[in-house]
Amino acid sequence: MQLTTVIAKQIVERSMKIIKHSVNVMDEYGVIIGSGDLSRLNCRHEGAILAINENRIVEIDHATAQQLRGVKAGINLPIIFQNNVIGVVGISGKPVDIQQYGELVKMTAELIIEQAALMTEIQWSKRHKEELVLQLIQPSDLNTQQLYSIAERLELDLNQPRIATIIKVDSFNGENLSLTHLQKLVHLLEYPERDNLVAISSVTLNEVVVLKPITLTDTGWNRSHEEKRIRQLFQRISHDEKFTIKIALGDYFPNLEGLSQSYMTAKATMNTANSKSRILFYQDNVLPVLIDGLRSDTWRSQQLALPLKKILLADTKGSLLKTLRTFFIHNCDSAQTCKILHIHRNTLRYRLERIEKETGLNINKINDITYLYLAILANK
């Protein structure tokens, strides 16, 4: 740990609130880096050098001060951190008048330094945890052994089953989004401690990724438990923050490599799920997610779109296509489809027959109706 001007300033300000004498802080070279007397900053203090070299309290009266450079009457005490002298704290004044304050100011200085060191360690750990999360979900130059080694240093258990979850921050009531909103979300995800591994995955897209610990059962992972936690998160955000979120949970895949697969399923679910819900599960959107990959495959995408093009050419108003979408959304339930569209059952039958005529596909044949359904999914 090294004394900085920021820490030195804190020591001076806090100490001088307790005592009415000027306080100085010198670094390991005896240079004054914090002082109640700003004119003394950056001066070399020979009394501090003596305190550092001999690791002892150095009292300087007025006569001695005249013989040393950069020195005034006072008392100088070495600052100890982890059994090492890292600097000196001094109090200006007659030694007999200020002796009673020496240990108090020294203790104040060392407590401030310990606190700063702890915060530095926490920030270091947090930054490296975020880097590890990004290494786990994206292609990495590190091998499995290296990732486990990093996790061990950070006291993280990578053998704990986890799923990747993507949380997208959305504006609420016209609030402009900023990095601060993402940082607030990260804080909510990390506290109270639930063993979440959290990282900001995209500032541009306002997205945070969480590697959530899960409980495995004979039938998979405990979805209801995660839903409960998610709803608690929504409640905390609605009470305290000026933003809202949309969350997509990926599937579970075993082994360390499975985390990147889980992330891909969460990302695809976030991007493709055709739902107004703010909580999306990959398991509920498997087919749309898988079909979405065909968009980048030009000739397959074109082939899937052929039935829809034929329908549109035959009905420019779009009622046939709307009917087909509604029919599939309601699991081919005729009664529900008629209710939603406010049409008679005979009208529905007529429209479905027209769709069959224009596309050459038979809705009562599994291959043909699957073709139509995939066409609808691939061309949202």
Side-chain angles (χ1 to χ4, degrees), residues 48-211:
I49 295 172
L50 185 61
I52 292 170
N53 290 338
E54 299 184 7
N55 189 13
R56 67 178 179 87
I57 298 173
V58 175
E59 295 184 2
I60 300 174
D61 57 23
H62 182 71
T64 305
Q66 301 300 314
Q67 302 173 17
L68 299 175
R69 187 172 57 182
V71 174
K72 288 186 178 182
I75 185 171
N76 299 279
L77 303 94
I79 299 173
I80 308 298
F81 178 73
Q82 295 181 349
N83 299 320
N84 294 314
V85 178
I86 64 169
V88 174
V89 61
I91 308 172
S92 299
K94 293 181 180 180
V96 67
D97 295 334
I98 59 177
Q99 279 180 337
Q100 57 183 320
Y101 302 123
E103 288 300 327
L104 175 62
V105 172
K106 172 183 167 71
M107 182 178 67
T108 299
E110 291 176 349
L111 285 174
I112 290 173
I113 290 166
E114 288 176 6
Q115 184 181 41
L118 177 61
M119 291 304 297
T120 299
E121 183 178 347
I122 291 173
Q123 289 300 320
W124 181 91
S125 177
K126 180 178 176 63
R127 185 169 61 251
H128 282 76
K129 282 181 181 178
E130 287 189 343
E131 291 177 359
L132 177 61
V133 170
L134 297 178
Q135 293 280 354
L136 290 170
I137 65 173
Q138 298 170 354
S140 172
D141 294 332
L142 303 178
N143 58 38
T144 301
Q145 184 177 355
Q146 290 171 319
L147 292 171
Y148 270 110
S149 177
I150 294 171
E152 185 178 356
R153 290 201 300 272
L154 295 171
E155 298 182 348
L156 299 175
D157 181 12
L158 292 186
N159 291 316
Q160 163 67 52
R162 298 176 185 274
I163 58 168
T165 301
I166 295 175
I167 305 178
K168 186 177 183 66
V169 177
D170 288 330
S171 179
F172 182 72
N173 286 341
E175 180 84 5
N176 291 325
L177 294 176
S178 66
L179 181 59
T180 301
H181 293 93
L182 292 177
Q183 291 170 336
K184 285 182 178 179
L185 175 59
V186 169
H187 179 78
L188 290 172
L189 292 165
E190 291 179 332
Y191 302 100
E193 175 60 48
R194 284 177 174 163
D195 197 24
N196 287 331
L197 300 182
V198 187
I200 296 175
S201 53
S202 175
V203 175
T204 305
L205 298 177
N206 299 308
E207 289 182 353
V208 171
V209 62
V210 189
L211 300 183

Side-chain angles (χ1 to χ4, degrees), residues 242-273:
K242 301 296 184 182
F243 61 86
T244 186
I245 61 171
K246 186 172 184 178
I247 183 168
L249 293 89
D251 204 1
Y252 170 69
F253 298 87
N255 303 322
L256 200 61
E257 296 78 8
L259 291 174
S260 61
Q261 293 176 276
S262 183
Y263 173 73
M264 285 189 288
T265 58
K267 186 73 172 173
T269 302
M270 176 68 78
N271 293 340
T272 64

